[in-house]
Amino acid sequence: MREERAVLTFRSLPELNSAQCSSPRNDSGALWKSARLSCSGGGRRNSGNFASLTMVEKAERAEFAPSSAQLLKHPLAMLAYVPRGAAIFMAGAVAGAAAKTVTAPLDRVKLLMQTHGVRVGQESAKKAIGFVEALALIGKEEGIKGYWKGNLPQVIRIIPYSAVQLFSYEFYKKLFKGKDDELSVIGRLAAGACAGMTSTFVTYPLDVLRLRLAVETGHRTMSEIALIMLREEGVASFYYGLGPSLLGIAPYIAVNFCMFDLVKKSLPEKYQNKAQSSVITAVVSAAVATLTCYPLDTVRRQMQMRGAPYKTFFDAFPGIVERDGFIGLYRGFLPNALKNLPNSSIRLSTFDIVKRLISAGEKELQQITDENRAKQG
């Protein structure tokens, strides 16, 4: 019969951090510095310092994990097995797509009002198109489907846009934290600005394509317009107006995110975790950010248009003011504001619901684990 022997292996772990803990021999030092391991054999005795790592928690989770029947009885517990980041990402994608689809008619009206001067020509650009007039024009010329023209590339764009913005914002918040591991107001503004610019740069070609599809006449598809742009105007056409876009989105996201965080923190603790508080705070922060940054959005929209007389931001801004007056910078502001309010409400409400469901699932999983441990104990 073969004799079975246990093998004890010693390895150096230079990256192991010492955890400060008390011991009877040395209350001020780490346990691994004072503990000794002794072994003897063959007339020799060896001793040395040692460190022990335990995986009790993970072992207990596996041992007392809920059964299939328990998971079917408590379906929320299944959410605890989904990584939190993945759950939030999917919630953001679904919420963004739903919000954009619901508010697409207002977005289409806003785009027509913003680009009216470039589309009709310089001679008649003095006459602005109103909200009701633009709304009626779309229904008369294109029917009900016309209100959702250009929504597909916008929905396609919002999925990676939300993902990139969410993850980059978390990255930049960690990057801008101070020595005390706290994020200052300036740090929040910087993190929001960088996240906004990063997500805008990545998805900008889809934004340009969505604009062309929304304002150009005819019934061309997204792929047809993309091929025409590529053939007649080159790759650079997909990045027309990128400069004003980055300048516009940076302060918008910075103000929006920073105001949301600060206003939410200033509320009494019993209101901070309520969905209604999140929605109201989001509406206020979005309104202030939109009012502040909307002129930059108008400039970039006109620069994105085919045949636009502006090549740079410094040409476009004074050109619009000279032709249409200061009010020209705020054309389409009403439908844009009406669009942003439900947009922010839908997105934040969805996020809040998903976060609450994830927390409830984690509590249910822990409760089932505790019950299984008690039964086996």
Side-chain angles (χ1 to χ4, degrees):
M1 182 177 178
R2 185 178 177 181
E3 183 181 358
E4 294 184 357
R5 295 182 179 180
V7 178
L8 182 62
T9 304
F10 295 89
R11 290 195 179 98
S12 175
L13 300 175
E15 71 278 6
L16 182 65
N17 293 324
S18 60
Q20 295 294 328
C21 55
S22 61
S23 68
R25 299 182 59 180
N26 187 358
D27 291 339
S28 61
L31 180 61
W32 67 273
K33 290 182 178 180
S34 58
R36 307 289 293 178
L37 175 66
S38 300
C39 56
S40 60
R44 298 178 59 189
R45 180 181 180 88
N46 298 317
S47 64
N49 293 345
F50 78 98
S52 175
L53 298 177
T54 61
M55 303 297 289
V56 176
E57 184 179 353
K58 289 187 176 181
E60 285 186 351
R61 281 188 181 180
E63 183 180 357
F64 304 114
S67 63
S68 300
Q70 287 176 316
L71 288 176
L72 289 175
K73 188 178 179 180
H74 302 277
L76 279 179
M78 297 181 187
L79 292 176
Y81 289 98
V82 180
R84 180 177 287 267
I88 292 177
F89 166 76
M90 291 304 299
V94 172
K100 286 295 180 184
T101 301
V102 170
T103 58
L106 289 170
D107 198 35
R108 179 83 199 280
V109 171
K110 182 205 75 167
L111 292 176
L112 290 180
M113 293 177 69
Q114 279 184 315
T115 60
H116 176 73
V118 177
R119 287 185 297 106
V120 301
Q122 301 297 311
E123 294 181 359
S124 56
K126 289 289 183 181
K127 186 178 182 299
I129 185 172
F131 174 74
V132 177
E133 185 181 356
L135 194 66
L137 184 65
I138 296 172
K140 180 180 178 181
E141 295 186 354
E142 304 178 55
I144 297 296
K145 291 183 179 180
Y147 292 107
W148 280 270
K149 187 178 180 181
N151 187 56
L152 177 60
Q154 180 71 336
V155 170
I156 294 173
R157 168 183 171 269
I158 202 63
I159 294 176
Y161 182 84
S162 297
V164 172
Q165 192 172 90
L166 174 65
F167 286 107
S168 61
Y169 183 58
E170 294 300 319
F171 169 78
Y172 289 124
K173 281 201 298 185
K174 293 179 182 178
L175 187 65
F176 292 122
K177 279 186 177 180
K179 294 181 180 179
D180 55 353
D181 204 34
E182 291 291 331
L183 190 62
S184 64
V185 174
I186 300 299
R188 291 184 188 277
L189 290 171
C194 291
M197 288 191 290
T198 301
S199 55
T200 298
F201 179 80
V202 172
T203 60
Y204 193 76
L206 283 172
D207 191 39
V208 175
L209 190 59
R210 188 266 302 213
L211 173 70
R212 294 292 184 92
L213 188 61
V215 301
E216 291 187 7
T217 57
H219 300 280
R220 291 172 177 168
T221 63
M222 183 172 64
S223 58
E224 288 175 342
I225 291 181
L227 290 174
I228 291 173
M229 289 175 61
L230 190 62
R231 182 174 61 251
E232 297 182 1
E233 303 175 66
V235 177
S237 63
F238 289 94
Y239 286 92
Y240 285 163
L242 177 62
S245 296
L246 295 179
L247 291 175
I249 200 65
Y252 178 81
I253 298 297
V255 172
N256 199 352
F257 283 14
C258 185
M259 276 202 64
F260 179 81
D261 289 343
L262 295 179
V263 173
K264 193 81 178 290
K265 282 186 175 182
S266 67
L267 295 175
E269 189 174 351
K270 63 179 181 179
Y271 296 114
Q272 288 183 5
N273 295 324
K274 291 189 175 182
Q276 298 91 329
S277 300
S278 297
V279 172
I280 294 173
T281 304
V283 168
V284 172
S285 60
V288 174
T290 302
L291 183 65
T292 305
C293 308
Y294 190 79
L296 290 172
D297 186 59
T298 299
V299 170
R300 78 181 177 99
R301 292 302 185 189
Q302 295 208 13
M303 289 183 66
Q304 286 176 343
M305 289 295 297
R306 184 178 181 179
Y310 315 118
K311 297 300 180 184
T312 67
F313 170 80
F314 299 102
D315 293 334
F317 195 91
I320 295 173
V321 173
E322 182 181 356
R323 187 188 65 220
D324 303 326
F326 184 77
I327 195 65
L329 296 171
Y330 282 91
R331 281 184 178 176
F333 178 79
L334 176 61
N336 185 71
L338 294 175
K339 178 197 72 171
N340 281 343
L341 297 184
N343 199 329
S344 298
S345 301
I346 292 171
R347 291 185 64 183
L348 286 173
S349 297
T350 304
F351 268 118
D352 187 69
I353 291 171
V354 170
K355 287 180 180 180
R356 291 176 184 272
L357 288 175
I358 293 173
S359 299
E362 291 173 347
K363 289 180 180 179
E364 284 198 5
L365 179 62
Q366 186 61 47
Q367 183 179 356
I368 295 171
T369 303
D370 292 340
E371 291 176 356
N372 292 342
R373 184 186 294 109
K375 289 178 181 178
Q376 295 186 23

Short mmCIF file of all heavy atoms in Angstrom, two decimals, residues 226-285:
data_model
loop_
_atom_site.label_atom_id
_atom_site.label_comp_id
_atom_site.label_asym_id
_atom_site.label_seq_id
_atom_site.Cartn_x
_atom_site.Cartn_y
_atom_site.Cartn_z
N ALA A 226 -24.32 57.91 -44.82
CA ALA A 226 -22.94 57.70 -44.39
C ALA A 226 -22.01 57.54 -45.60
O ALA A 226 -20.91 58.11 -45.64
CB ALA A 226 -22.84 56.48 -43.48
N LEU A 227 -22.45 56.78 -46.60
CA LEU A 227 -21.63 56.57 -47.80
C LEU A 227 -21.49 57.86 -48.59
O LEU A 227 -20.41 58.14 -49.14
CB LEU A 227 -22.26 55.47 -48.67
CG LEU A 227 -22.18 54.04 -48.11
CD1 LEU A 227 -22.97 53.08 -48.99
CD2 LEU A 227 -20.72 53.60 -48.01
N ILE A 228 -22.56 58.65 -48.69
CA ILE A 228 -22.49 59.94 -49.40
C ILE A 228 -21.52 60.88 -48.70
O ILE A 228 -20.70 61.55 -49.35
CB ILE A 228 -23.89 60.57 -49.49
CG1 ILE A 228 -24.79 59.75 -50.42
CG2 ILE A 228 -23.80 62.01 -49.99
CD1 ILE A 228 -26.24 60.21 -50.44
N MET A 229 -21.59 60.95 -47.39
CA MET A 229 -20.67 61.80 -46.63
C MET A 229 -19.23 61.36 -46.84
O MET A 229 -18.33 62.19 -47.06
CB MET A 229 -21.01 61.75 -45.14
CG MET A 229 -22.29 62.46 -44.76
SD MET A 229 -22.70 62.24 -43.01
CE MET A 229 -21.28 63.00 -42.23
N LEU A 230 -19.00 60.07 -46.81
CA LEU A 230 -17.65 59.54 -46.97
C LEU A 230 -17.11 59.80 -48.36
O LEU A 230 -15.94 60.16 -48.54
CB LEU A 230 -17.65 58.04 -46.67
CG LEU A 230 -16.29 57.35 -46.54
CD1 LEU A 230 -15.51 57.95 -45.37
CD2 LEU A 230 -16.47 55.85 -46.34
N ARG A 231 -17.97 59.65 -49.36
CA ARG A 231 -17.53 59.81 -50.75
C ARG A 231 -17.34 61.27 -51.13
O ARG A 231 -16.36 61.63 -51.79
CB ARG A 231 -18.56 59.17 -51.69
CG ARG A 231 -18.17 59.22 -53.16
CD ARG A 231 -19.13 58.45 -54.05
NE ARG A 231 -20.49 58.98 -53.98
CZ ARG A 231 -21.51 58.36 -53.40
NH1 ARG A 231 -21.32 57.18 -52.80
NH2 ARG A 231 -22.71 58.90 -53.39
N GLU A 232 -18.26 62.16 -50.71
CA GLU A 232 -18.22 63.55 -51.15
C GLU A 232 -17.46 64.49 -50.22
O GLU A 232 -16.92 65.50 -50.66
CB GLU A 232 -19.65 64.07 -51.32
CG GLU A 232 -20.44 63.33 -52.40
CD GLU A 232 -21.83 63.91 -52.58
OE1 GLU A 232 -22.16 64.89 -51.86
OE2 GLU A 232 -22.58 63.40 -53.43
N GLU A 233 -17.42 64.17 -48.92
CA GLU A 233 -16.81 65.08 -47.96
C GLU A 233 -15.63 64.49 -47.20
O GLU A 233 -14.92 65.22 -46.51
CB GLU A 233 -17.87 65.56 -46.95
CG GLU A 233 -19.07 66.21 -47.60
CD GLU A 233 -20.14 66.56 -46.59
OE1 GLU A 233 -19.88 67.43 -45.72
OE2 GLU A 233 -21.23 65.95 -46.64
N GLY A 234 -15.44 63.17 -47.31
CA GLY A 234 -14.31 62.54 -46.65
C GLY A 234 -14.57 62.18 -45.20
O GLY A 234 -15.63 62.50 -44.63
N VAL A 235 -13.60 61.54 -44.58
CA VAL A 235 -13.73 61.09 -43.20
C VAL A 235 -13.88 62.27 -42.24
O VAL A 235 -14.57 62.18 -41.21
CB VAL A 235 -12.50 60.24 -42.80
CG1 VAL A 235 -12.59 59.82 -41.33
CG2 VAL A 235 -12.37 59.02 -43.69
N ALA A 236 -13.27 63.41 -42.59
CA ALA A 236 -13.31 64.57 -41.71
C ALA A 236 -14.73 65.08 -41.47
O ALA A 236 -14.99 65.72 -40.44
CB ALA A 236 -12.45 65.70 -42.28
N SER A 237 -15.66 64.78 -42.41
CA SER A 237 -17.03 65.26 -42.26
C SER A 237 -17.72 64.66 -41.04
O SER A 237 -18.67 65.24 -40.52
CB SER A 237 -17.84 64.93 -43.52
OG SER A 237 -17.93 63.53 -43.72
N PHE A 238 -17.26 63.50 -40.59
CA PHE A 238 -17.86 62.86 -39.42
C PHE A 238 -17.43 63.54 -38.12
O PHE A 238 -17.94 63.19 -37.05
CB PHE A 238 -17.48 61.38 -39.37
CG PHE A 238 -18.14 60.55 -40.43
CD1 PHE A 238 -17.50 60.29 -41.63
CD2 PHE A 238 -19.42 60.05 -40.26
CE1 PHE A 238 -18.09 59.53 -42.61
CE2 PHE A 238 -20.03 59.29 -41.23
CZ PHE A 238 -19.37 59.02 -42.42
N TYR A 239 -16.48 64.48 -38.22
CA TYR A 239 -16.00 65.17 -37.03
C TYR A 239 -16.17 66.69 -37.15
O TYR A 239 -15.53 67.43 -36.42
CB TYR A 239 -14.54 64.82 -36.76
CG TYR A 239 -14.36 63.42 -36.22
CD1 TYR A 239 -14.13 62.35 -37.08
CD2 TYR A 239 -14.46 63.16 -34.85
CE1 TYR A 239 -14.00 61.05 -36.58
CE2 TYR A 239 -14.33 61.88 -34.35
CZ TYR A 239 -14.10 60.82 -35.23
OH TYR A 239 -13.97 59.55 -34.74
N TYR A 240 -17.05 67.13 -38.09
CA TYR A 240 -17.33 68.56 -38.18
C TYR A 240 -17.97 69.04 -36.87
O TYR A 240 -18.93 68.45 -36.38
CB TYR A 240 -18.28 68.86 -39.34
CG TYR A 240 -17.64 68.78 -40.71
CD1 TYR A 240 -18.43 68.68 -41.85
CD2 TYR A 240 -16.26 68.83 -40.87
CE1 TYR A 240 -17.85 68.62 -43.11
CE2 TYR A 240 -15.67 68.77 -42.12
CZ TYR A 240 -16.48 68.66 -43.24
OH TYR A 240 -15.90 68.59 -44.49
N GLY A 241 -17.45 70.14 -36.33
CA GLY A 241 -18.02 70.70 -35.11
C GLY A 241 -17.59 70.00 -33.84
O GLY A 241 -18.18 70.21 -32.78
N LEU A 242 -16.53 69.16 -33.92
CA LEU A 242 -16.07 68.44 -32.74
C LEU A 242 -15.58 69.39 -31.65
O LEU A 242 -15.86 69.18 -30.47
CB LEU A 242 -14.97 67.45 -33.11
CG LEU A 242 -14.35 66.67 -31.95
CD1 LEU A 242 -15.41 65.80 -31.26
CD2 LEU A 242 -13.18 65.80 -32.43
N GLY A 243 -14.86 70.44 -32.06
CA GLY A 243 -14.33 71.40 -31.08
C GLY A 243 -15.42 72.02 -30.23
O GLY A 243 -15.38 71.94 -28.99
N PRO A 244 -16.45 72.65 -30.85
CA PRO A 244 -17.55 73.21 -30.06
C PRO A 244 -18.30 72.15 -29.26
O PRO A 244 -18.82 72.43 -28.19
CB PRO A 244 -18.46 73.85 -31.12
CG PRO A 244 -17.56 74.14 -32.26
CD PRO A 244 -16.54 73.04 -32.27
N SER A 245 -18.34 70.92 -29.80
CA SER A 245 -19.03 69.84 -29.07
C SER A 245 -18.30 69.53 -27.77
O SER A 245 -18.93 69.37 -26.72
CB SER A 245 -19.10 68.58 -29.93
OG SER A 245 -19.88 68.81 -31.08
N LEU A 246 -16.97 69.43 -27.85
CA LEU A 246 -16.19 69.16 -26.65
C LEU A 246 -16.29 70.32 -25.66
O LEU A 246 -16.41 70.11 -24.45
CB LEU A 246 -14.72 68.90 -27.02
CG LEU A 246 -14.45 67.64 -27.86
CD1 LEU A 246 -12.97 67.53 -28.17
CD2 LEU A 246 -14.94 66.39 -27.15
N LEU A 247 -16.24 71.54 -26.20
CA LEU A 247 -16.37 72.72 -25.35
C LEU A 247 -17.76 72.81 -24.72
O LEU A 247 -17.92 73.31 -23.61
CB LEU A 247 -16.08 74.00 -26.15
CG LEU A 247 -14.63 74.20 -26.60
CD1 LEU A 247 -14.52 75.43 -27.50
CD2 LEU A 247 -13.71 74.35 -25.39
N GLY A 248 -18.77 72.33 -25.45
CA GLY A 248 -20.14 72.39 -24.94
C GLY A 248 -20.45 71.30 -23.94
O GLY A 248 -21.08 71.54 -22.92
N ILE A 249 -19.99 70.07 -24.24
CA ILE A 249 -20.33 68.95 -23.37
C ILE A 249 -19.53 68.97 -22.07
O ILE A 249 -20.02 68.52 -21.03
CB ILE A 249 -20.12 67.60 -24.11
CG1 ILE A 249 -20.91 66.48 -23.43
CG2 ILE A 249 -18.65 67.24 -24.19
CD1 ILE A 249 -22.40 66.65 -23.48
N ALA A 250 -18.30 69.48 -22.12
CA ALA A 250 -17.46 69.50 -20.92
C ALA A 250 -18.10 70.31 -19.78
O ALA A 250 -18.29 69.77 -18.68
CB ALA A 250 -16.07 70.04 -21.25
N PRO A 251 -18.47 71.57 -20.01
CA PRO A 251 -19.12 72.30 -18.91
C PRO A 251 -20.51 71.77 -18.59
O PRO A 251 -20.95 71.81 -17.43
CB PRO A 251 -19.20 73.74 -19.43
CG PRO A 251 -19.09 73.63 -20.91
CD PRO A 251 -18.22 72.45 -21.17
N TYR A 252 -21.23 71.23 -19.60
CA TYR A 252 -22.58 70.72 -19.35
C TYR A 252 -22.55 69.54 -18.38
O TYR A 252 -23.27 69.51 -17.38
CB TYR A 252 -23.25 70.31 -20.66
CG TYR A 252 -24.63 69.74 -20.46
CD1 TYR A 252 -25.73 70.57 -20.30
CD2 TYR A 252 -24.84 68.36 -20.41
CE1 TYR A 252 -27.00 70.06 -20.09
CE2 TYR A 252 -26.10 67.83 -20.21
CZ TYR A 252 -27.18 68.68 -20.06
OH TYR A 252 -28.43 68.16 -19.85
N ILE A 253 -21.73 68.52 -18.70
CA ILE A 253 -21.65 67.35 -17.83
C ILE A 253 -21.03 67.73 -16.48
O ILE A 253 -21.45 67.23 -15.43
CB ILE A 253 -20.83 66.23 -18.50
CG1 ILE A 253 -21.52 65.79 -19.79
CG2 ILE A 253 -20.66 65.04 -17.56
CD1 ILE A 253 -22.88 65.19 -19.59
N ALA A 254 -20.04 68.62 -16.51
CA ALA A 254 -19.40 69.05 -15.27
C ALA A 254 -20.41 69.70 -14.33
O ALA A 254 -20.51 69.34 -13.15
CB ALA A 254 -18.25 70.00 -15.57
N VAL A 255 -21.17 70.67 -14.85
CA VAL A 255 -22.18 71.36 -14.03
C VAL A 255 -23.29 70.41 -13.60
O VAL A 255 -23.73 70.40 -12.45
CB VAL A 255 -22.76 72.56 -14.80
CG1 VAL A 255 -23.93 73.18 -14.05
CG2 VAL A 255 -21.69 73.61 -15.05
N ASN A 256 -23.74 69.58 -14.54
CA ASN A 256 -24.84 68.66 -14.27
C ASN A 256 -24.49 67.67 -13.16
O ASN A 256 -25.21 67.53 -12.16
CB ASN A 256 -25.21 67.91 -15.56
CG ASN A 256 -26.60 67.31 -15.51
OD1 ASN A 256 -27.25 67.31 -14.47
ND2 ASN A 256 -27.06 66.79 -16.61
N PHE A 257 -23.37 66.97 -13.33
CA PHE A 257 -22.96 65.95 -12.36
C PHE A 257 -22.63 66.58 -11.00
O PHE A 257 -23.00 66.06 -9.95
CB PHE A 257 -21.76 65.17 -12.87
CG PHE A 257 -22.10 64.15 -13.92
CD1 PHE A 257 -23.34 64.15 -14.55
CD2 PHE A 257 -21.20 63.18 -14.30
CE1 PHE A 257 -23.67 63.23 -15.52
CE2 PHE A 257 -21.51 62.23 -15.26
CZ PHE A 257 -22.75 62.26 -15.87
N CYS A 258 -21.88 67.68 -11.04
CA CYS A 258 -21.45 68.32 -9.80
C CYS A 258 -22.65 68.84 -9.01
O CYS A 258 -22.76 68.63 -7.80
CB CYS A 258 -20.48 69.45 -10.09
SG CYS A 258 -19.76 70.21 -8.62
N MET A 259 -23.58 69.52 -9.69
CA MET A 259 -24.77 70.05 -9.02
C MET A 259 -25.62 68.93 -8.45
O MET A 259 -26.15 69.02 -7.35
CB MET A 259 -25.59 70.89 -9.99
CG MET A 259 -25.13 72.32 -10.12
SD MET A 259 -26.44 73.39 -10.73
CE MET A 259 -27.65 73.30 -9.42
N PHE A 260 -25.75 67.85 -9.23
CA PHE A 260 -26.56 66.72 -8.75
C PHE A 260 -25.99 66.15 -7.46
O PHE A 260 -26.71 65.92 -6.48
CB PHE A 260 -26.62 65.64 -9.83
CG PHE A 260 -27.42 64.44 -9.42
CD1 PHE A 260 -28.80 64.45 -9.51
CD2 PHE A 260 -26.79 63.30 -8.96
CE1 PHE A 260 -29.55 63.34 -9.13
CE2 PHE A 260 -27.53 62.18 -8.57
CZ PHE A 260 -28.91 62.20 -8.66
N ASP A 261 -24.66 65.93 -7.44
CA ASP A 261 -24.02 65.37 -6.25
C ASP A 261 -24.15 66.30 -5.04
O ASP A 261 -24.48 65.87 -3.93
CB ASP A 261 -22.54 65.08 -6.52
CG ASP A 261 -22.35 63.91 -7.46
OD1 ASP A 261 -23.31 63.13 -7.63
OD2 ASP A 261 -21.25 63.76 -8.02
N LEU A 262 -23.87 67.59 -5.28
CA LEU A 262 -23.87 68.54 -4.16
C LEU A 262 -25.27 68.80 -3.61
O LEU A 262 -25.46 68.86 -2.39
CB LEU A 262 -23.23 69.86 -4.61
CG LEU A 262 -21.74 69.79 -4.99
CD1 LEU A 262 -21.25 71.15 -5.45
CD2 LEU A 262 -20.91 69.29 -3.81
N VAL A 263 -26.25 68.95 -4.51
CA VAL A 263 -27.62 69.18 -4.06
C VAL A 263 -28.15 67.95 -3.33
O VAL A 263 -28.83 68.06 -2.30
CB VAL A 263 -28.54 69.54 -5.25
CG1 VAL A 263 -30.00 69.61 -4.81
CG2 VAL A 263 -28.12 70.87 -5.86
N LYS A 264 -27.84 66.77 -3.86
CA LYS A 264 -28.30 65.52 -3.22
C LYS A 264 -27.70 65.39 -1.81
O LYS A 264 -28.38 64.99 -0.87
CB LYS A 264 -27.86 64.34 -4.08
CG LYS A 264 -28.53 63.02 -3.72
CD LYS A 264 -29.90 62.93 -4.34
CE LYS A 264 -30.56 61.60 -4.01
NZ LYS A 264 -29.92 60.47 -4.71
N LYS A 265 -26.43 65.76 -1.65
CA LYS A 265 -25.78 65.68 -0.34
C LYS A 265 -26.34 66.69 0.64
O LYS A 265 -26.32 66.47 1.85
CB LYS A 265 -24.27 65.89 -0.49
CG LYS A 265 -23.53 64.67 -1.01
CD LYS A 265 -22.04 64.92 -0.98
CE LYS A 265 -21.27 63.67 -1.38
NZ LYS A 265 -19.80 63.88 -1.30
N SER A 266 -26.82 67.83 0.12
CA SER A 266 -27.33 68.88 0.99
C SER A 266 -28.71 68.56 1.54
O SER A 266 -29.18 69.21 2.48
CB SER A 266 -27.37 70.21 0.25
OG SER A 266 -28.32 70.18 -0.80
N LEU A 267 -29.40 67.58 0.96
CA LEU A 267 -30.74 67.21 1.43
C LEU A 267 -30.66 66.49 2.77
O LEU A 267 -29.65 65.88 3.10
CB LEU A 267 -31.43 66.31 0.40
CG LEU A 267 -31.74 66.91 -0.97
CD1 LEU A 267 -32.30 65.84 -1.89
CD2 LEU A 267 -32.73 68.06 -0.85
N PRO A 268 -31.72 66.55 3.57
CA PRO A 268 -31.76 65.76 4.80
C PRO A 268 -31.56 64.28 4.49
O PRO A 268 -31.98 63.80 3.43
CB PRO A 268 -33.17 66.04 5.35
CG PRO A 268 -33.55 67.36 4.77
CD PRO A 268 -32.91 67.41 3.41
N GLU A 269 -30.95 63.57 5.39
CA GLU A 269 -30.58 62.17 5.15
C GLU A 269 -31.77 61.30 4.80
O GLU A 269 -31.67 60.39 3.97
CB GLU A 269 -29.87 61.61 6.38
CG GLU A 269 -29.26 60.24 6.16
CD GLU A 269 -28.44 59.78 7.34
OE1 GLU A 269 -28.23 60.60 8.26
OE2 GLU A 269 -28.03 58.61 7.34
N LYS A 270 -32.93 61.58 5.39
CA LYS A 270 -34.10 60.73 5.13
C LYS A 270 -34.65 60.90 3.72
O LYS A 270 -35.41 60.05 3.24
CB LYS A 270 -35.21 61.04 6.15
CG LYS A 270 -35.75 62.46 6.08
CD LYS A 270 -36.86 62.65 7.11
CE LYS A 270 -37.44 64.06 7.05
NZ LYS A 270 -38.54 64.23 8.04
N TYR A 271 -34.25 61.99 3.02
CA TYR A 271 -34.70 62.22 1.64
C TYR A 271 -33.67 61.83 0.59
O TYR A 271 -33.99 61.75 -0.60
CB TYR A 271 -35.07 63.70 1.44
CG TYR A 271 -36.24 64.16 2.28
CD1 TYR A 271 -36.07 65.10 3.29
CD2 TYR A 271 -37.52 63.67 2.05
CE1 TYR A 271 -37.14 65.52 4.07
CE2 TYR A 271 -38.60 64.10 2.82
CZ TYR A 271 -38.40 65.02 3.82
OH TYR A 271 -39.46 65.43 4.58
N GLN A 272 -32.43 61.60 1.00
CA GLN A 272 -31.36 61.38 0.03
C GLN A 272 -31.53 60.12 -0.81
O GLN A 272 -31.15 60.09 -1.97
CB GLN A 272 -30.00 61.34 0.76
CG GLN A 272 -29.55 62.69 1.27
CD GLN A 272 -28.17 62.63 1.91
OE1 GLN A 272 -27.50 61.59 1.89
NE2 GLN A 272 -27.74 63.74 2.48
N ASN A 273 -32.11 59.07 -0.22
CA ASN A 273 -32.24 57.80 -0.92
C ASN A 273 -33.59 57.59 -1.58
O ASN A 273 -33.88 56.49 -2.05
CB ASN A 273 -31.97 56.64 0.05
CG ASN A 273 -30.54 56.65 0.56
OD1 ASN A 273 -29.62 56.99 -0.17
ND2 ASN A 273 -30.35 56.28 1.82
N LYS A 274 -34.41 58.62 -1.63
CA LYS A 274 -35.73 58.51 -2.25
C LYS A 274 -35.64 58.83 -3.74
O LYS A 274 -34.92 59.72 -4.16
CB LYS A 274 -36.73 59.45 -1.58
CG LYS A 274 -37.10 59.02 -0.16
CD LYS A 274 -38.25 59.85 0.38
CE LYS A 274 -38.68 59.34 1.75
NZ LYS A 274 -39.84 60.10 2.29
N ALA A 275 -36.42 58.08 -4.53
CA ALA A 275 -36.40 58.26 -5.99
C ALA A 275 -36.88 59.65 -6.38
O ALA A 275 -36.35 60.26 -7.32
CB ALA A 275 -37.27 57.20 -6.65
N GLN A 276 -37.89 60.17 -5.64
CA GLN A 276 -38.40 61.51 -5.97
C GLN A 276 -37.33 62.58 -5.82
O GLN A 276 -37.26 63.51 -6.63
CB GLN A 276 -39.59 61.84 -5.06
CG GLN A 276 -40.78 60.90 -5.20
CD GLN A 276 -40.72 59.73 -4.26
OE1 GLN A 276 -39.64 59.27 -3.92
NE2 GLN A 276 -41.88 59.25 -3.83
N SER A 277 -36.49 62.44 -4.81
CA SER A 277 -35.42 63.41 -4.60
C SER A 277 -34.42 63.37 -5.76
O SER A 277 -33.95 64.41 -6.22
CB SER A 277 -34.70 63.12 -3.28
OG SER A 277 -35.59 63.20 -2.20
N SER A 278 -34.11 62.16 -6.24
CA SER A 278 -33.18 62.02 -7.36
C SER A 278 -33.73 62.67 -8.61
O SER A 278 -33.00 63.36 -9.34
CB SER A 278 -32.89 60.54 -7.62
OG SER A 278 -32.26 59.94 -6.51
N VAL A 279 -35.02 62.45 -8.87
CA VAL A 279 -35.64 63.01 -10.08
C VAL A 279 -35.66 64.53 -10.03
O VAL A 279 -35.27 65.21 -10.99
CB VAL A 279 -37.07 62.45 -10.24
CG1 VAL A 279 -37.78 63.17 -11.39
CG2 VAL A 279 -37.03 60.96 -10.52
N ILE A 280 -36.10 65.09 -8.91
CA ILE A 280 -36.18 66.55 -8.79
C ILE A 280 -34.79 67.18 -8.88
O ILE A 280 -34.60 68.19 -9.56
CB ILE A 280 -36.87 66.94 -7.47
CG1 ILE A 280 -38.33 66.49 -7.48
CG2 ILE A 280 -36.79 68.45 -7.24
CD1 ILE A 280 -39.05 66.67 -6.16
N THR A 281 -33.82 66.57 -8.20
CA THR A 281 -32.45 67.08 -8.24
C THR A 281 -31.90 67.03 -9.66
O THR A 281 -31.22 67.96 -10.11
CB THR A 281 -31.55 66.27 -7.31
OG1 THR A 281 -32.09 66.29 -5.99
CG2 THR A 281 -30.14 66.84 -7.27
N ALA A 282 -32.19 65.95 -10.37
CA ALA A 282 -31.70 65.81 -11.75
C ALA A 282 -32.32 66.85 -12.67
O ALA A 282 -31.65 67.40 -13.54
CB ALA A 282 -32.02 64.41 -12.27
N VAL A 283 -33.61 67.13 -12.48
CA VAL A 283 -34.29 68.13 -13.31
C VAL A 283 -33.68 69.52 -13.09
O VAL A 283 -33.42 70.26 -14.05
CB VAL A 283 -35.80 68.14 -13.00
CG1 VAL A 283 -36.47 69.36 -13.63
CG2 VAL A 283 -36.45 66.87 -13.51
N VAL A 284 -33.44 69.87 -11.83
CA VAL A 284 -32.86 71.18 -11.52
C VAL A 284 -31.46 71.31 -12.09
O VAL A 284 -31.11 72.32 -12.74
CB VAL A 284 -32.84 71.41 -9.99
CG1 VAL A 284 -32.07 72.67 -9.65
CG2 VAL A 284 -34.26 71.49 -9.45
N SER A 285 -30.62 70.30 -11.88
CA SER A 285 -29.24 70.36 -12.38
C SER A 285 -29.20 70.38 -13.89
O SER A 285 -28.38 71.10 -14.49
CB SER A 285 -28.44 69.16 -11.84
OG SER A 285 -29.00 67.93 -12.25
#
